[in-house]
Amino acid sequence: MAQVLHADGTPLAGQFLIYPAVDAEGEYPSRVENAKGYFLEKDTMDWFYGHYAGAWDDAKDARLSPLHGADLSGLPPAVVVTAEFDPLRDEGEAYGEALRAAGVAADVRRYGGMIHGFFDMGAISPAAQSAIDESSARFGELLRG
């Protein structure tokens, strides 16, 4: 969405990307390593993709797969949060690296021991709450410049 808004001239202060899905058909080790047993599973991802994308013709269309955007330069700075045991981990980190390669400030952090969805688990997990607090503080710092 940041790419679409940027192209339209909408000013954005920053991106807070929490275990983002940014490459619809990418092949990543984390999709295999974490395909089952860690809350978000491959079958569920396929279900979401089918309902979200439907009959989308081009899985590399940047609106569906932001990692494949033609030009990431000029996008706002980003905080990218990934979880160790998440099928989306590697593509989120790849997007952070692609932003950096395009000259965009990107603070990419993987949280060890965490699974996809940990941002909703702070009330039951002190480790998740700590990661949420830290990530939110990093994004706050980004916004303050």
Side-chain angles (χ1 to χ4, degrees):
M1 183 55 78
Q3 291 176 43
V4 172
L5 293 170
H6 176 71
D8 287 345
T10 302
L12 298 172
Q15 303 176 72
F16 195 11
L17 305 171
I18 303 166
Y19 27 80
V22 292
D23 190 1
E25 286 190 345
E27 294 185 22
Y28 299 94
S30 64
R31 285 196 182 185
V32 175
E33 295 164 6
N34 303 313
K36 198 156 189 65
Y38 294 110
F39 190 63
L40 176 62
E41 298 187 339
K42 183 187 178 319
D43 291 344
T44 307
M45 288 176 55
D46 293 344
W47 184 88
F48 279 114
Y49 178 79
H51 284 79
Y52 179 75
W56 207 297
D57 292 335
D58 183 5
K60 292 193 184 228
D61 183 312
R63 293 169 297 168
L64 182 61
S65 296
L67 181 60
H68 297 287
D71 182 10
L72 302 179
S73 66
L75 290 175
V79 169
V80 182
V81 175
T82 65
E84 180 180 10
F85 300 110
D86 184 351
L88 299 175
R89 179 193 69 213
D90 294 343
E91 69 190 83
E93 293 171 4
Y95 189 62
E97 290 305 317
L99 289 170
R100 288 177 181 157
V104 176
D107 177 355
V108 181
R109 184 113 9 119
R110 177 189 300 181
Y111 285 94
M114 294 293 114
I115 63 172
H116 186 90
F118 77 83
F119 252 66
D120 293 328
M121 300 175 188
I124 59 170
S125 168
Q129 187 60 55
S130 177
I132 294 164
D133 293 343
E134 181 181 302
S135 298
S136 298
R138 288 177 22 241
F139 188 62
E141 290 169 13
L142 180 151
L143 292 176
R144 287 190 288 281

